[in-house]
């Protein structure tokens, strides 16, 4: 009985660490290994594959030297697609205020990626580095519809900006494509992957 209890505790320790992945894909997985994903391909370029997930959202994988360096899960604004492929957040409902509360800071911003706009939204990119050896960065993209921008002010912005996409990427790759200049929250700290 004592032996079985020890095995149970050891198993819980091994499996409670959680994987930083989307649909089982982790950073630095080979391109060959992700081609087994049983999902429709909606776009393909030499270094990028975009899949349509079972809940109707997009998963884009970017490769460098045939290794995954960037994964982006975009919400396509359908209720059935409200759960991202990573985290316990909810697309369209989780606010930047909720994210700040969970991680204890505003994270950091790439200087040239603080605010931008799409055809429909004003968006911001808040980044959080995981406390691991792989240099994974979680990027939460939150936004507000352009039609509602006049309703946003300094008192309500943290509740108005809602989750639209999640990225998990290699820090070196992000530094290469977005630049190395960053602005850190004064309370910044790395986050736990669990």
């Amino acid at each position: 009985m004592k032996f079985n209890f020890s095995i149970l505790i050891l198993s819980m320790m091994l499996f409670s660490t959680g994987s930083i992945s989307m649909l089982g894909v982790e950073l630095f997985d080979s391109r060959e290994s992700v081609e087994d994903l049983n999902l429709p391909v909606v776009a393909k370029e030499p270094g990028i594959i975009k899949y349509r997930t079972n809940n109707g959202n997009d998963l884009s994988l970017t490769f460098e030297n045939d290794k995954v360096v960037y994964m982006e899960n975009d919400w396509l604004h359908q209720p059935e697609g409200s759960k991202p492929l990573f985290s316990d957040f909810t697309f369209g409902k989780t606010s930047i205020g909720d994210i700040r509360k969970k991680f204890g800071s505003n994270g950091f911003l790439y200087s040239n990626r603080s605010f931008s706009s799409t055809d429909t939204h004003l968006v911001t990119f808040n980044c959080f580095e995981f406390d691991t050896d792989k240099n994974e960065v979680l990027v939460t993209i939150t936004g507000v519809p352009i039609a509602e921008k006049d309703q946003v002010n300094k008192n309500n912005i943290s509740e108005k900006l809602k989750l639209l996409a999640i990225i998990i990427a290699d820090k070196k790759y992000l530094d290469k494509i977005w630049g190395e200049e960053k602005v850190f929250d004064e309370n910044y700290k790395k986050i736990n992957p669990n």
Side-chain angles (χ1 to χ4, degrees), residues 18-95:
S19 161
I20 300 173
S21 66
M22 291 187 186
L23 296 178
V25 177
E26 296 183 26
L27 288 184
F28 311 116
D29 281 353
S30 70
R31 184 177 185 129
E32 181 180 64
S33 71
V34 302
E35 290 184 355
D36 292 338
L37 286 176
N38 191 19
L39 297 171
V41 174
V42 294
K44 197 170 191 177
E45 297 176 27
I48 301 172
I49 302 174
K50 182 187 283 189
Y51 296 96
R52 183 64 36 89
T53 64
N54 291 332
N55 67 358
N57 292 326
D58 286 343
L59 170 63
S60 298
L61 302 177
T62 301
F63 304 90
E64 198 170 70
N65 300 318
D66 283 332
K67 302 286 184 190
V68 176
V69 290
Y70 180 101
M71 302 181 283
E72 181 171 336
N73 182 209
D74 295 310
W75 181 45
L76 297 185
H77 301 274
Q78 299 302 316
E80 63 273 10
S82 65
K83 290 311 297 172
L85 296 175
F86 181 84
S87 81
D88 58 356
F89 299 145
T90 303
F91 285 134
K93 291 189 179 176
T94 300
S95 69

Side-chain angles (χ1 to χ4, degrees), residues 1 14 20 37 52 55 59 71 81 83 94 103 106-107 115 121 126-127 144 159 165 192 194:
M1 185 71 161
L14 289 173
I20 300 173
L37 286 176
R52 183 64 36 89
N55 67 358
L59 170 63
M71 302 181 283
K83 290 311 297 172
T94 300
F103 296 139
N106 199 38
F115 274 95
H121 286 77
N126 292 76
C127 305
V144 62
E159 294 310 313
N192 189 311
N194 295 328

Side-chain angles (χ1 to χ4, degrees), residues 142-159:
T142 56
V144 62
I146 290 174
E148 297 175 19
K149 70 178 184 178
D150 293 337
Q151 300 170 22
V152 179
N153 58 54
K154 67 178 184 175
N155 297 321
N156 68 10
I157 192 168
S158 66
E159 294 310 313

Side-chain angles (χ1 to χ4, degrees), residues 113-126:
R113 282 275 171 184
S114 54
F115 274 95
S116 62
S117 62
T118 67
D119 291 340
T120 59
H121 286 77
L122 297 174
V123 297
T124 187
F125 296 70
N126 292 76

